[in-house]
Amino acid sequence: MIRKIIKIDEEKCNGCGLCADACHEGAIGMVDGKARLLREDYCDGLGDCLPACPTGAISFEEREAPAYDHAAVLAAKAKAGNAAQQGGCPGSRSRTFGQAPAPGPSAKSAPSALTHWPVQLRLVPVRAPYFDGADILVAADCAAYAHGGFHSEFLRGRRVVIGCPKLDPDDQAEKLAEIFRQNDIKSVTVVRMEVPCCGGIERAAKTALAACGKDIPLSVATISVDGRVL
């Protein structure tokens, strides 16, 4: 079948191994000091390895390749245990933490409502325990800066992924669809800016919901450039 799959430029590869650590499916390995795509059927084509590469050696290509075998990936993970999922760049390693309590009237600053890391759509794993049974917030990058009550009004009680449809080159709908498909999602809330280009993140969420095969409630909030909820 013809599908999107990663391509590794060995001349650009510096052998750091960060892509192999970032590949949650185990498709990439190190051979003779260079990154190699070891199993084409393990590559889901979503590109978690792309942002981990410091030299730009990884890209996408459309070509003949075996279909992604999710069952085989799960079996390999079960056999290997959790060790293969604990590496990678510390900045993109998944972690979960509790929410701070709401501040009292004398508090100097409000606590963060963030409960997990990473949050960038390009970096979050497709399958994560903090997504199961969760209300998901799909937010435009700028929303948290524009709206002063973002944490209390939108982030609290939700698991967030952020992105920018104008600046992020990847297909956001495709990765969102996999997140929705592979986790038990209760609801999806989209927070976008009023600018036209930000409609892309709303379209990506709606496309992903249509593609995931699940009936998940969706709501959309729009923030003006001066910080108001429209």
Side-chain angles (χ1 to χ4, degrees), residues 22-116:
C23 179
H24 304 289
E25 288 70 35
I28 302 174
M30 303 304 296
V31 178
D32 297 328
K34 296 286 186 178
R36 299 277 179 84
L37 179 57
L38 303 179
R39 291 283 302 259
E40 293 183 346
D41 59 333
Y42 281 18
C43 177
D44 60 11
L46 295 176
D48 285 350
C49 54
L50 266 71
C53 180
T55 64
I58 302 177
S59 60
F60 281 121
E61 64 177 345
E62 295 249 353
R63 63 173 175 83
E64 183 72 30
Y68 170 60
D69 192 340
H70 183 57
V73 169
L74 292 179
K77 284 182 177 181
K79 184 176 180 180
N82 294 325
Q85 301 182 61
Q86 300 305 314
C89 170
S92 61
R93 190 171 301 159
S94 294
R95 65 194 76 180
T96 304
F97 32 89
Q99 290 183 345
S106 62
K108 293 182 178 180
S109 62
S112 171
L114 188 66
T115 60
H116 67 92

Side-chain angles (χ1 to χ4, degrees), residues 177-189:
E178 284 302 312
I179 292 173
F180 299 160
R181 184 179 295 116
Q182 296 190 33
N183 300 275
D184 179 22
I185 306 298
K186 291 169 58 180
S187 70
V188 175
T189 300

Side-chain angles (χ1 to χ4, degrees), residues 130-223:
Y130 49 76
F131 284 148
D132 271 334
D135 297 298
I136 300 296
L137 174 64
V138 180
D141 290 351
C142 302
Y145 295 96
H147 184 56
F150 181 83
H151 278 243
S152 60
E153 291 184 41
F154 297 111
L155 182 54
R156 186 166 299 281
R158 297 185 175 98
R159 310 303 194 195
V160 65
V161 294
I162 66 171
C164 175
K166 195 169 184 69
L167 299 180
D168 294 341
D170 300 335
D171 185 346
Q172 295 178 320
E174 186 174 349
K175 185 160 187 182
L176 283 173
E178 284 302 312
I179 292 173
F180 299 160
R181 184 179 295 116
Q182 296 190 33
N183 300 275
D184 179 22
I185 306 298
K186 291 169 58 180
S187 70
V188 175
T189 300
V190 174
V191 177
R192 52 162 293 185
M193 299 299 296
E194 66 173 327
V195 294
C197 61
C198 206
I201 200 163
E202 180 180 344
R203 288 192 297 273
K206 289 179 177 179
T207 300
L209 285 171
C212 76
K214 295 181 179 180
D215 184 15
I216 302 175
L218 170 72
S219 61
V220 179
T222 302
I223 308 297

